[in-house]
Amino acid sequence: MKKKTFESEDLKKKVCVVVGTRPGIIKMSPIIKKAQESEYPSFVIHAGQHYSPSMDDQFFKDLDLKEPEYKLEHIKDCELHGEQTAEMLKGIERILYEERPKVVLVCGDANFNLAGALAARKLHINLGHVESGLRSDDWRMPEEHNRVMIDHISEFLFAPTKNTAQNAIEDNVKGNIFVTGNTIVDAVYENEELAEEKSDILETLGLKKKNYFVLTAHREGNVDSKEKLEMISKFIKEMGDKYEGTPIIFPIHPRTKKRLKEFGMKEEFYSIDNLQVLEPLGYIDFLQLMNHAKLVLTDSGGIQEETCILKTPCVTLRENTERPETVEVGSNIVTGLSIEDVLEGVREMLGRKKDWKNPFGDGTASNQIMEVVKDCLEDRLS
Ligand code: UD1
Ligand code: UDP
């Protein structure tokens, strides 16, 4: 009979990193590099949740990463959350079954992370959750139930801050919690200078430093409804009146582009005067764009963190955030989508002194995480 789960002695001293979406690739890149430089074998599984070259290959190039050892195909054909998660779980489990790594690392809250986490758990492989303990307390968000489930089945919870560690403690998780900082700090520090040297995005778009806004929006709750997209289009126009001569640069997520098309709004949206819609940018260009923006409006998780690190004011277009540290230090304000609240948020943030401190660590998160991984490989953890 085929063995269905592993005992510790069946596993090899080997590390598996699971990636699958744009932010997953970016946030895991410092860990992948450390793992590859270490004395231990490692491999990457790309779960294939993001697949367009501008959401995938571009980041391997920009971040100087090798091709992943494994890549799942056809995940793009899945329409429902459960179906997508199930397909990735199936693919990842098969690979882990053959490779038998002693540690699997996932990062964040996208569906591919839940798939990777479940695959590891089912096979009795040690699971580490990078970016653990975040909570929005908004149970409607797929990300919220994903991150709660992953935290509960992980051996190692790598919390970016004390606050996130506390969330995990209050949830009564079983694994060991380590406060390491967020690997996004490592990624920003590793790429900030390179972006300054290599990116010509400002010249290409004819932008002057601190004289443009950046916008991103892709959350299901914001872009899967016509009404919400209309609210976005309204405040963009209003900002055009209020901040005349300050363009809004909008690298559009494929999900948002698709929805604008489906709702018959694409043409009108793309022709808003003060708005410049671009295809998704690579990391080097986007980092440079964020770094020199007057302010960023976003519903992205990673961008709330990066703007905080880069000292660029941020307005979050959501009703809540799982990154309250950014609001506490003063780099971010959470406004939702109503015109009045967004405009008030922009005014408030533009008036603030940018002397906040980055709460997400000192750029050594990937090192700290790899130390725990090595201790696990060598059975040095109790
Ligand atoms: C996912 C994550 C979200 C994360 C975001 C990062 C979940 C539930 N959501 O949302 O937490 O913030 O990634 O960007 O896991 N598409 C393409 N090309 C791509 C990727 C997506 O065209 O490379 C289109 C597809 O039509 C797809 C839609 O975008 O159906 C949504 O993609 P999906 O991966 O399901 O969710 P995201 O909105 O990207
Ligand atoms: N990003 C990028 N190009 C873009 C938009 C975003 O490189 O055109 C990067 C951004 O710097 C951040 C990550 O993608 O590191 C955020 O991804 P996204 O907003 O899609 O997901 P989230 O962080 O909300 O899960």
Side-chain angles (χ1 to χ4, degrees):
M1 196 182 71
K2 195 167 179 176
K3 220 174 175 171
K4 293 209 177 97
T5 54
F6 296 130
E7 303 304 323
S8 182
E9 57 274 16
D10 298 324
L11 299 172
K12 300 181 183 156
K13 279 190 191 177
K14 184 154 64 166
V15 186
C16 168
V17 178
V18 184
V19 299
T21 58
R22 166 168 77 186
I25 301 165
I26 296 168
K27 285 180 169 168
M28 280 301 206
S29 66
I31 295 184
I32 294 173
K33 287 178 188 164
K34 301 265 161 20
Q36 286 169 351
E37 285 159 12
S38 81
E39 64 273 38
Y40 298 98
S42 64
F43 63 97
V44 174
I45 302 178
H46 190 317
Q49 182 172 345
H50 285 177
Y51 50 86
S52 303
S54 62
M55 298 293 287
D56 177 12
D57 303 350
Q58 181 66 42
F59 295 91
F60 282 83
K61 264 186 229 138
D62 277 3
L63 296 162
D64 202 18
L65 295 170
K66 308 193 291 186
E67 289 269 300
E69 279 75 8
Y70 297 94
K71 190 163 183 178
L72 305 184
E73 303 291 338
H74 308 301
I75 304 301
K76 60 170 171 289
D77 305 329
C78 304
E79 282 182 9
L80 301 175
H81 284 293
E83 181 191 17
Q84 190 189 51
T85 309
E87 275 305 307
M88 294 189 285
L89 164 59
K90 208 164 125 189
I92 296 169
E93 188 185 38
R94 288 269 158 222
I95 299 165
L96 295 181
Y97 192 85
E98 293 306 320
E99 288 275 2
R100 303 184 180 207
K102 194 161 174 181
V103 179
V104 169
L105 296 174
V106 299
C107 169
D109 49 30
N111 288 340
F112 81 89
N113 291 298
L114 179 62
L118 282 170
R121 179 80 282 119
K122 292 288 175 195
L123 293 169
H124 296 184
I125 297 173
N126 296 288
L127 171 65
H129 187 199
V130 178
E131 202 178 70
S132 154
L134 279 67
R135 298 287 182 268
S136 69
D137 293 323
D138 182 350
W139 202 238
R140 293 164 311 165
M141 292 179 73
E143 293 83 0
E144 181 72 358
H145 49 255
N146 284 346
R147 59 172 85 95
V148 169
M149 287 189 272
I150 301 169
D151 278 349
H152 277 281
I153 59 173
S154 295
E155 263 79 22
F156 311 121
L157 292 91
F158 300 112
T161 63
K162 283 191 184 146
N163 172 46
T164 47
Q166 188 56 32
N167 290 338
I169 292 168
E170 284 170 16
D171 265 10
N172 226 352
V173 296
K174 292 190 178 59
N176 292 327
I177 303 170
F178 303 84
V179 180
T180 57
N182 195 313
T183 57
I184 195 65
V185 183
D186 310 25
V188 169
Y189 288 177
E190 278 169 26
N191 292 289
E192 197 181 347
E193 264 177 42
L194 193 71
E196 200 66 54
E197 266 167 42
K198 278 180 70 180
S199 171
D200 52 10
I201 190 72
L202 301 195
E203 294 80 353
T204 307
L205 299 177
L207 299 171
K208 290 201 197 83
K209 288 184 179 173
K210 305 295 167 201
N211 196 31
Y212 61 91
F213 298 113
V214 173
L215 168 67
T216 81
H218 73 279
R219 293 283 169 180
E220 192 171 287
N222 278 346
V223 307
D224 281 12
S225 118
K226 188 170 184 192
E227 189 196 335
K228 296 280 177 63
L229 284 170
E230 274 162 359
M231 289 172 87
I232 294 178
S233 127
K234 273 193 194 135
F235 78 66
I236 295 173
K237 289 177 191 157
E238 199 73 23
M239 282 185 66
D241 292 340
K242 184 144 186 221
Y243 301 98
E244 217 189 321
T246 312
I248 299 182
I249 312 301
F250 183 29
I252 194 163
H253 191 285
R255 177 186 205 112
T256 314
K257 189 174 177 179
K258 202 170 161 186
R259 297 293 176 253
L260 284 170
K261 241 191 224 161
E262 281 168 11
F263 297 134
M265 294 172 68
K266 189 171 166 224
E267 221 164 281
E268 200 202 321
F269 193 91
Y270 274 55
S271 56
I272 301 175
D273 268 355
N274 55 319
L275 183 72
Q276 204 169 335
V277 185
L278 311 174
E279 285 305 298
L281 292 171
Y283 195 53
I284 296 301
D285 282 338
F286 193 71
L287 201 51
Q288 180 72 350
L289 197 67
M290 277 191 292
N291 202 3
H292 296 295
K294 192 177 174 80
L295 178 140
V296 176
L297 301 122
T298 192
D299 61 10
S300 159
I303 295 173
Q304 291 175 59
E305 294 155 354
E306 289 164 327
T307 47
C308 182
I309 299 161
L310 295 166
K311 299 225 176 329
T312 300
C314 180
V315 169
T316 293
L317 305 167
R318 286 176 42 191
E319 300 297 333
N320 51 53
T321 180
E322 56 292 305
R323 275 97 175 160
E325 297 87 348
T326 56
V327 177
E328 279 152 25
V329 300
S331 70
N332 185 18
I333 197 163
V334 178
T335 65
L337 289 182
S338 90
I339 297 190
E340 297 76 31
D341 293 347
V342 173
L343 286 183
E344 177 52 26
V346 171
R347 193 195 59 75
E348 158 79 24
M349 285 310 302
L350 289 177
R352 278 198 193 164
K353 245 174 125 180
K354 297 179 210 155
D355 57 358
W356 58 76
K357 286 212 171 73
N358 150 35
F360 297 114
D362 58 2
T364 61
S366 52
N367 264 327
Q368 294 180 53
I369 291 166
M370 274 311 292
E371 285 312 306
V372 176
V373 168
K374 288 179 192 172
D375 284 345
C376 175
L377 294 178
E378 295 298 346
D379 293 322
R380 289 193 291 254
L381 295 164
S382 54

